[in-house]
Amino acid sequence: MVTFRAKASENIPAHRLVVLAGRDEDQTILVRLANLEEAADFVSTRFIAQGELVDVTLREGLQFWLVEAEHDLPAGCWVYCGTDGMVSGQGTRQGHHKMEAVGINIDPTPAGQVARILRRESFAHGYGLEIESRLSDLEARVAALEQGSGGGGEG
């Protein structure tokens, strides 16, 4: 588990996929909504206003994320990062690269409702990433941001 302080670079609604987004001019770590071609780093649990400082905790092990559904989602379908940090059942969109699955939707979920997603890294399967490797990568990115190297350079 790793915890750090970050600032929202935009308004982030509750139950949305979020990514690390570099640093601001004061060297504060930034977070923002994930876009259609990104692997989410974590999920927001409440509304976060642009400029608000928040404590972010990244956990390993079995994780269920509560994320708003962009479209109706059947139980058992793979979900991907959709528009505005929501989850979508569409893994490829016109003009975008094929995306990595965020996880599996557990219950049938209508569009606009909160889906219960079993994170892909929470279980072992032939296509998944190992949680230890993913968490180490995130910890390294956070450490780089905290040391002022800029990390991902986005934001």
Side-chain angles (χ1 to χ4, degrees):
M1 179 171 73
V2 61
T3 299
F4 57 94
R5 195 107 170 115
K7 182 166 65 172
S9 63
E10 62 185 334
N11 286 336
I12 300 173
H15 308 295
R16 299 295 177 94
L17 299 171
V18 180
V19 295
L20 298 173
R23 288 182 165 275
D24 68 7
E25 60 280 352
D26 297 322
Q27 299 305 306
T28 302
I29 296 171
L30 297 172
V31 294
R32 63 169 171 72
L33 291 170
N35 69 37
L36 295 174
E37 295 180 347
E38 293 179 307
D41 292 321
F42 51 96
V43 65
S44 61
T45 57
R46 65 173 179 81
F47 175 82
I48 304 167
Q50 180 177 0
E52 183 179 347
L53 288 170
V54 294
D55 290 321
V56 177
T57 300
L58 305 175
R59 293 179 173 84
E60 61 183 313
L62 185 66
Q63 295 287 311
F64 285 94
W65 282 356
L66 301 176
V67 186
E68 186 175 335
E70 181 177 1
H71 309 285
D72 291 348
L73 299 173
C77 74
W78 286 104
V79 293
Y80 305 85
C81 187
T83 305
D84 296 327
M86 292 181 274
V87 287
S88 170
Q90 299 176 356
T92 306
R93 299 197 182 204
Q94 186 173 0
H96 294 276
H97 302 289
K98 183 164 175 58
M99 299 169 279
E100 272 191 42
V102 172
I104 294 177
N105 185 41
I106 301 301
D107 306 303
T109 309
Q113 297 299 308
V114 175
R116 190 164 55 118
I117 308 301
L118 176 60
R119 264 187 74 210
R120 179 180 176 158
E121 289 83 2
S122 293
F123 55 97
H125 59 77
Y127 308 104
L129 301 173
E130 293 298 323
I131 186 65
E132 304 259 347
S133 171
R134 177 85 168 143
L135 188 59
S136 293
D137 176 61
L138 286 171
E139 287 173 340
R141 289 170 55 198
V142 169
L145 289 168
E146 287 175 339
Q147 293 170 6
S149 68
E154 298 177 14

